[in-house]
Amino acid sequence: MPTTVLPSRFSLYLDLIRWNRPAGWLLLLWPTLSALWMAADGFPGWHLLIVFTAGTVLMRSAGCCINDVADKDFDLHVKRTAQRPVTSGVVSVREALGVGAALALLSFVLVLSTNPPTIWLSVPAVLVAGLYPYAKRVIAMPQAVLGVAFSFGIPMAFSAVQGGQDWSLSAVGASVPPHAWWLVLGNLCWVLAYDTEYAMVDRDDDLKIGIKTSAITLGRHDVRAVMTFYVLYLGLWAWVGERLGLAWPYQLGIGVAAAQVVWHGWLIRHRSREGCFQAFRLNHWVGAAVFAGTVLAGWVR
């Protein structure tokens, strides 16, 4: 009996954390690793690489659990999400919260192996991630909250590399240089771009059930706004790379990312569900191009 039940529950938990859809955690991973490479001025070492890679996957998975519990009644009315495990009832709310808590705890254990400033930064990171699912009830552009949550890996990467062992809160600010916050702002713009594309897929359903999204708020200006967010993202990251003196492959990576952005603009121009969803799903390649440029820049200097 256990041999048939346990794998079944395990597969449901994998579905709960979107294990078969890695695009979500890749969107988190690429800017975090790019920041890690910039902070370390090259390869950051295996310890930090493992901590931030595993921590990113774990926290995104935990976020999926919280999101599905918060949105279970809304997801029931959206065709794309109606069969999610919590919404369909095959995984209980208690189970989902338990899985999410366990994953978040594992992520925190990894953070404990870094330093005090990074541990301090992990606290607001978790709080913002937990608040995001409820933001769409009250904020006109909840994607901005998601942008903050998805950008916390950047200052944490800098603090893990450049921070010391001081537990004072002032040490947190000292461990994160100003250009890291410009990267955060740029990354927030990127999240606004791709998550607005995502929201454009479900706009009709979201209007019926009464939740707020950037696609609804922006209305007929949605495509123009998405492209503006992309330009701000790549422009800010290009500017930071120039200030840091990163070699030419970095700007080449920005260029490759920009070429993809042009293609995404083409995909979403008619606001079709298929085009918008395809643009969203492929966004992790934009971040991958920037990360590849960051790594290569360290090799040719």
Side-chain angles (χ1 to χ4, degrees):
M1 186 70 167
T3 57
T4 58
V5 174
L6 288 178
S8 155
R9 300 311 297 171
F10 184 66
S11 66
L12 288 173
Y13 294 156
L14 289 179
D15 192 26
L16 174 68
I17 65 173
R18 324 274 204 275
W19 184 254
N20 62 335
R21 283 160 282 179
W25 56 261
L26 288 172
L27 289 169
L28 270 164
L29 184 64
W30 296 133
T32 300
L33 292 187
S34 296
L36 198 59
W37 251 256
M38 291 182 195
D41 197 23
F43 181 62
W46 287 108
H47 169 241
L48 289 181
L49 179 58
I50 291 170
V51 165
F52 277 88
T53 300
T56 294
V57 176
L58 288 168
M59 277 309 299
R60 189 264 178 171
S61 300
C64 289
C65 299
I66 298 171
N67 185 78
D68 284 10
V69 169
D71 284 355
K72 65 184 180 67
D73 294 328
F74 290 134
D75 286 345
L76 189 63
H77 303 285
V78 179
K79 182 178 180 181
R80 185 180 51 80
T81 60
Q83 294 306 311
R84 285 178 174 173
V86 177
T87 304
S88 63
V90 293
V91 172
S92 70
V93 168
R94 185 175 180 178
E95 276 183 290
L97 291 176
V99 172
L103 294 172
L105 181 60
L106 285 174
S107 180
F108 185 64
V109 169
L110 289 173
V111 173
L112 290 176
S113 71
T114 57
N115 58 15
T118 310
I119 295 170
W120 276 120
L121 282 170
S122 71
V123 176
V126 170
L127 290 176
V128 175
L131 287 173
Y132 164 67
Y134 301 94
K136 63 191 73 173
R137 292 161 170 78
V138 294
I139 298 176
M141 292 187 64
Q143 281 69 21
V145 180
L146 182 68
V148 175
F150 269 34
S151 299
F152 253 102
I154 295 171
M156 289 177 70
F158 276 89
S159 67
V161 173
Q162 302 181 6
Q165 296 302 316
D166 188 348
W167 280 98
S168 68
L169 288 176
S170 60
V172 177
S175 68
V176 184
H179 57 260
W181 297 111
W182 286 109
L183 292 174
V184 167
L185 180 59
N187 195 68
L188 190 153
C189 291
W190 184 33
V191 177
L192 282 169
Y194 65 66
D195 210 53
T196 298
E197 292 173 341
Y198 193 48
M200 289 165 71
V201 177
D202 296 330
R203 176 159 37 200
D204 294 342
D205 292 323
D206 291 340
L207 281 167
K208 292 175 185 176
I209 60 182
I211 65 173
K212 303 175 187 294
T213 72
S214 56
I216 293 172
T217 300
L218 292 167
R220 62 189 178 87
H221 303 292
D222 51 1
V223 174
R224 188 181 311 156
V226 166
M227 300 311 292
T228 301
F229 292 142
Y230 274 130
V231 170
L232 289 172
Y233 157 55
L234 293 176
L236 283 168
W237 276 63
W239 176 68
V240 170
E242 189 68 27
R243 287 191 63 186
L244 294 178
L246 297 180
W248 64 265
Y250 178 77
Q251 299 299 343
L252 178 61
I254 295 288
V256 173
Q260 295 180 65
V261 164
V262 172
W263 180 38
H264 289 189
W266 179 264
L267 288 173
I268 68 173
R269 71 194 188 284
H270 296 311
R271 301 177 176 85
S272 69
R273 285 178 180 255
E274 296 76 14
C276 292
F277 193 52
Q278 184 181 7
F280 166 76
R281 285 192 307 105
L282 297 176
N283 247 279
H284 65 92
W285 290 108
V286 175
V290 176
F291 172 63
T294 306
V295 173
L296 291 173
W299 288 354
V300 303
R301 62 186 172 184

